[in-house]
């Protein structure tokens, strides 16, 4: 095979133009790899009339993504739209035996199985480094650098928007709603931030990591997911008092042939590495059987960090094709030992509970009895007289490890007590 590969780009927005910029101005690390020669053949854009500067030949542009896939001079399709049609374009490219690079996490998290099977059946590869934590080479590290390890656990801060909001709340810069609004006004947060604040964006990324790390077949929807919408300033203050910081954590563990995967707010020790990942930064802490703990950190979104990951996949694909190597990904992510994601009910963890309770004898005893009947052991109790709210006081209980199912049963009972006002707040704790 010649050292040149025809590239078709679907999507020429922020990331697409970043990819073209990196290809046109390749750093010496790329130029010194003698096999690298990409030839941009076709680019599908949403608006043909939009000005693109002088660096792109207008003849390459089309408004029809299917034309890019069908173009016989295109051997590698780079899909960067996140559009509804993406699944069809990517499937068709794979069916034609063309390699695909994509940053489309929703597509991979929910329908990855179909696409990887299609890739394998047609001798093509589907690469997706940019779909998780953008420029952090976590997928490549799991596939290559850590290949000699059994991955025991992954703890990630995989969403920059929520980490930015929680970091600012921790610095006392406002409440959840104010900071979210400010982030939207400044363009840091999406105008519809639901996927981010609900944890779904992180859940989709975690499902993709679980596929690589554990051969898990689970989708983003199989990952237990709770967002940060209910975190209040007082939770952050209590966490600080207990020596913790609140983060939106994506957690996956492999134990006894089971894979657990969950995304939720969690208290992490203030001196842990993940507690010190601030603002829009992402991080992933991997526990490997041979290497022990490793932490990868960096920008998990943005034009050039995402483009960096896309180009790294393109380079790997080209080098594999030039070397006459077969496909790399299908065999890695599919296979007999594939396991489903287990329900969160059986997972054991520690909990922080906060309730507003009547300041009268026996209240603590009744709550403690409910916990004890569910075999949940109390680690510490905090109640402050100074916080008296008209006859009620905030009561904080930290538990030892208990199953989620037992905790939910206990919570349901505690909430029915007439001495407990409103909902009981629950925040999970992870001693990293
Ligand atoms: N919206 C995501 C974040 C980036 O805030 O991290 C894209 O996945």
């Amino acid at each position: 095979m010649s050292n040149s590969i025809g590239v078709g780009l679907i999507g020429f927005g922020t990331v697409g133009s970043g990819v073209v910029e990196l290809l046109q101005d390749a750093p010496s690390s790329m130029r010194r790899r003698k096999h690298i020669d990409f030839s941009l053949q076709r680019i599908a854009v949403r608006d043909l009339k939009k000005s693109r500067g002088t660096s792109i030949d207008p003849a390459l542009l089309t408004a029809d993504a299917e034309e890019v896939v069908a173009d016989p001079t295109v051997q590698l399709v780079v899909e960067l739209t996140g559009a509804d049609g993406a699944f069809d374009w990517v499937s068709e490219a794979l069916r034609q035996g063309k390699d695909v690079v994509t940053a489309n996490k929703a597509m991979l998290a929910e329908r990855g199985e179909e696409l990887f099977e299609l890739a394998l059946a047609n001798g093509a590869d589907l690469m997706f480094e940019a779909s998780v934590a953008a420029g952090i080479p976590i997928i490549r590290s799991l596939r290559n650098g850590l290949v000699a390890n059994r991955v025991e656990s992954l703890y990630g801060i995989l969403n920059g928007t929520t980490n930015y909001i929680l970091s600012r709340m921790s610095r006392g810069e406002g409440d959840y709603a104010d900071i979210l609004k400010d982030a939207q006004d400044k363009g840091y947060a999406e105008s519809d931030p639901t996927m981010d604040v609900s944890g779904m964006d992180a859940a989709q990324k975690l499902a993709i990591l679980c596929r690589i790390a554990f051969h898990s077949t689970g989708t983003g929807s199989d990952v237990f997911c709770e967002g940060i919408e209910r975190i209040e300033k007082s939770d952050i203050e209590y966490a600080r008092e207990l020596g913790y910081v609140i983060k939106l954590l994506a957690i996956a563990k492999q134990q006894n042939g089971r894979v657990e995967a969950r995304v939720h707010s969690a208290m992490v020790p203030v001196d842990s590495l993940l507690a010190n990942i601030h603002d829009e930064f992402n991080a992933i802490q991997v526990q490997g059987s041979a290497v022990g703990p490793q932490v990868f950190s960096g920008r998990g979104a943005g034009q050039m960090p995402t483009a960096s990951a896309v180009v790294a996949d393109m380079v790997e694909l080209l080098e594999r094709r030039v070397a006459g190597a077969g496909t790399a990904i299908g065999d890695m992510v599919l296979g007999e030992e594939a396991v489903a994601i287990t329900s969160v009910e059986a997972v054991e963890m520690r909990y922080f509970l906060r309730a507003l309770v009547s300041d009268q004898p026996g209240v603590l005893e009744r709550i403690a009895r409910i916990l004890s009947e569910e075999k949940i052991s109390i680690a510490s109790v905090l109640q402050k007289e100074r916080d008296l709210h008209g006859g009620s006081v905030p009561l904080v209980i930290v538990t030892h490890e208990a199953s989620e199912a037992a905790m939910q049963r206990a919570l349901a009972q505690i909430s029915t007590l007439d001495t407990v006002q409103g909902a009981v707040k629950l925040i999970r704790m992870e001693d990293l």
Side-chain angles (χ1 to χ4, degrees), residues 17 23 30 35 52 54 64 68 119 192 196 220 249 251 305 313 345 388 405 417:
S17 46
L23 292 179
M30 247 171 83
H35 298 314
R52 312 272 164 189
T54 51
D64 183 358
V68 174
D192 178 359
D196 294 311
L249 274 197
I251 302 165
D313 279 350
E345 306 269 288
L388 208 61
L417 297 177

Side-chain angles (χ1 to χ4, degrees), residues 105 159-161 196 201 205 301:
K105 67 179 165 288
N159 183 269
T161 305
D196 294 311
D201 173 80
K205 292 167 181 166

Side-chain angles (χ1 to χ4, degrees), residues 59-333:
L60 299 184
L61 303 182
T62 169
D64 183 358
E66 286 172 18
E67 251 183 50
V68 174
V69 173
D71 190 319
T73 66
V74 168
Q75 288 116 36
L76 167 59
V77 173
V78 179
E79 187 279 318
L80 298 172
T81 64
D84 288 344
F87 180 84
D88 292 337
W89 304 324
V90 169
S91 312
E92 184 51 29
L94 295 172
R95 235 175 257 121
Q96 292 185 25
K98 298 185 180 189
D99 293 316
V100 175
V101 173
T102 180
N104 193 326
K105 67 179 165 288
M107 175 179 77
L108 288 165
E110 302 305 334
R111 302 190 69 181
E113 192 84 2
E114 295 165 71
L115 294 174
F116 291 120
E117 276 170 2
L118 212 46
L120 195 59
N122 291 284
D125 259 327
L126 172 61
M127 308 281 283
F128 46 95
E129 183 66 67
S131 64
V132 179
I136 304 176
I138 184 61
I139 290 170
R140 186 156 279 102
S141 300
L142 290 170
R143 284 174 46 221
N144 297 338
L146 299 176
V147 70
N149 287 259
R150 178 177 179 278
V151 177
E152 290 162 0
S153 64
L154 295 167
Y155 289 91
I157 293 175
L158 297 179
N159 183 269
T161 305
T162 47
N163 202 42
Y164 174 83
I165 294 172
L166 292 174
S167 298
R168 288 195 57 190
M169 285 176 78
S170 293
R171 292 196 294 265
E173 292 174 18
D175 284 327
Y176 169 78
D178 302 332
I179 296 173
L180 173 59
K181 171 142 193 336
D182 188 43
Q184 285 173 309
D185 291 346
K186 289 181 172 145
Y188 300 157
E190 305 276 345
S191 51
D192 178 359
T194 312
M195 285 298 288
D196 294 311
V197 298
S198 69
M200 259 321 283
D201 173 80
Q204 289 180 336
K205 292 167 181 166
L206 187 64
I208 295 171
L209 290 183
C210 284
R211 188 176 274 286
I212 303 294
F214 310 130
H215 302 289
S216 147
T217 51
T219 66
S221 326
D222 295 324
V223 174
F224 172 80
C225 181
E226 258 184 30
I228 65 162
E229 303 98 320
R230 291 182 315 108
I231 298 293
E232 294 168 277
K233 211 158 92 182
S234 52
D235 297 318
I236 288 182
E237 284 161 5
Y238 276 118
R240 183 174 301 127
E241 201 166 328
L242 294 164
Y244 289 83
V245 172
I246 299 179
K247 293 288 184 189
L248 182 74
L249 274 197
I251 302 165
K253 293 181 192 171
Q254 176 170 232
Q255 265 167 349
N256 311 324
R258 287 183 346 179
V259 170
E260 96 186 40
R262 50 197 164 97
V263 170
H264 52 72
S265 311
M267 291 194 185
V268 298
V270 68
D271 55 1
S272 60
L273 285 162
L274 292 189
N276 290 289
I277 302 299
H278 301 298
D279 298 309
E280 75 277 24
F281 276 74
N282 282 195
I284 303 106
Q285 180 170 322
V286 180
Q287 181 76 29
S289 54
V291 295
Q294 293 201 329
V295 178
F296 301 79
S297 171
R299 289 186 196 283
Q303 180 186 32
M304 297 320 275
T306 310
S308 162
V310 170
V311 174
D313 279 350
M314 293 171 69
V315 170
E316 181 181 331
L317 272 171
L318 176 51
E319 290 194 327
R320 291 185 64 77
R321 295 297 164 256
V322 169
T327 60
I329 299 298
D331 283 326
M332 266 217 60
V333 297

